[in-house]
């Protein structure tokens, strides 16, 4: 192994405060690359909407972060350490963005029907635009704060300022995670919020339960990771938490990996099919009526809506 010395100082100790292990980054790199590939295959096979591929992109970004960490194990430079820090700190924020988009889609596709049944539509925190842009903006703000602070922490002169900025970004993220969980639980408990029933779902209720377990479990896992990150940065550079490599792999690497496993096991891509694919499925369903005669489907000029054909609880998107 190459000795990473500059002016007699091991650069790994300068940046990490410890000598990073040589095997774990390679394992994590391989695992996240496989996870990303599985998610790409699932997305293509189920003809899921494009935004579902946020997950595979996030997994590949995580893998790239461990590429940089693998390099840093033997030769740590300022630029490589900055890239490693950013690619391991920021990508999980995209997982939160995926969850926000999922709940936003459920609310959007049910908005008109739910509004006709009760006044929930007029609650500002249940409006589709508010859910999408409020949480999306909070996620972007948190990413920018963490990215700026993470970059500043790699320099001795701005390390304390960078730590404070990252802490603010993480605390903001924790607050919005809590708000999002409240919104998610509300949508889960209200039976009027329906989802598309994929072919393999036993019932419409089972489809919704699968999606909400997915969202709730992964948001809680991200919450745990963010608490660890807050404690790490609050403890400071060189602190016990920052200097404990095992804590990073347990509360970051493994936690994020478990979140991806939840996404794979309870894959929700089939519940958010592309508009064309959903319309094709709907047309096939329409032609099998009790009278044996096809019924002409009325197409709405508005954006995608959730429709129930023949009272079979098989809701789908139409454009």
């Amino acid at each position: 192994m190459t000795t990473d010395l500059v002016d007699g100082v091991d650069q790994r100790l300068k940046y990490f405060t410890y000598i990073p292990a040589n095997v774990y980054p390679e394992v994590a790199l391989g695992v996240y690359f496989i996870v990303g590939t599985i998610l790409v295959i699932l997305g293509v096979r189920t003809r899921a909407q494009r935004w579902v591929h946020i997950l595979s992109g996030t997994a590949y970004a995580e893998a790239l972060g461990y590429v940089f960490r693998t390099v840093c194990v033997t030769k740590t430079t300022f630029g490589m350490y900055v890239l490693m820090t950013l690619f391991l700190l920021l990508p999980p924020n995209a997982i939160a963005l995926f969850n926000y988009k999922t709940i936003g889609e459920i609310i959007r596709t049910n908005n008109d029907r739910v509004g006709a049944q009760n006044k929930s539509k007029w609650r500002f925190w249940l409006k589709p635009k508010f859910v999408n842009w409020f949480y999306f903006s909070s996620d972007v703000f948190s990413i920018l704060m963490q990215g700026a602070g993470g970059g500043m922490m790699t320099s001795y002169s701005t390390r304390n300022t960078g730590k404070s900025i990252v802490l603010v970004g993480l605390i903001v993220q924790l607050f919005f995670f809590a708000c999002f969980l409240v919104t998610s639980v509300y949508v889960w408990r209200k039976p009027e919020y329906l989802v598309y029933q994929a072919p393999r779902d036993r019932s419409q209720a089972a489809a919704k339960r699968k999606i909400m377990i997915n969202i709730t479990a992964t948001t809680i896992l991200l919450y745990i990771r963010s608490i660890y990150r807050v404690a790490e940065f609050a403890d400071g550079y060189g602190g016990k938490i920052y200097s404990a490599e095992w804590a990073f792999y347990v509360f970051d690497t493994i936690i994020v990996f478990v979140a991806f496993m939840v996404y794979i096991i309870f894959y929700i891509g089939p519940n958010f099919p592309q508009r064309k694919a959903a319309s094709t499925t709907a047309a096939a369903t329409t032609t099998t009526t009790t009278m044996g005669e096809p019924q002409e489907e009325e197409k709405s000029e508005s954006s995608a809506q959730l429709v129930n054909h023949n009272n079979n609880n098989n809701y789908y998107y139409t454009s």
Side-chain angles (χ1 to χ4, degrees), residues 108-142:
R108 182 182 67 81
T109 53
N110 286 275
N111 194 44
D112 292 338
R113 183 179 50 78
V114 172
Q117 294 176 0
N118 54 55
K119 295 183 179 180
S120 295
K121 178 181 178 181
W122 306 114
R123 296 178 183 177
F124 75 93
W125 52 279
L126 285 174
K127 289 185 177 182
K129 287 185 178 180
F130 177 83
V131 172
N132 283 329
W133 289 106
F134 177 72
Y135 291 116
F136 175 79
S137 299
S138 69
D139 207 42
V140 171
F141 175 76
S142 178

Side-chain angles (χ1 to χ4, degrees), residues 90-108:
L90 301 182
N93 291 280
I95 297 178
L97 178 61
F98 175 85
N99 288 351
Y100 300 156
K101 178 64 175 177
T102 301
I103 292 297
E105 280 292 296
I106 294 175
I107 293 175
R108 182 182 67 81

Side-chain angles (χ1 to χ4, degrees), residues 43 47-56 98 101 272-275:
R47 302 176 70 181
Q49 294 182 32
R50 291 180 180 179
W51 59 267
V52 175
H53 292 286
I54 291 174
L55 290 178
S56 55
F98 175 85
K101 178 64 175 177
F272 297 93
Q274 296 176 15
R275 303 295 191 269

Side-chain angles (χ1 to χ4, degrees), residues 55-73:
L55 290 178
S56 55
T58 303
Y60 285 134
E62 282 281 323
L64 186 57
Y66 287 102
V67 169
F68 296 131
R69 189 175 181 93
T70 299
V71 174
C72 287
V73 167

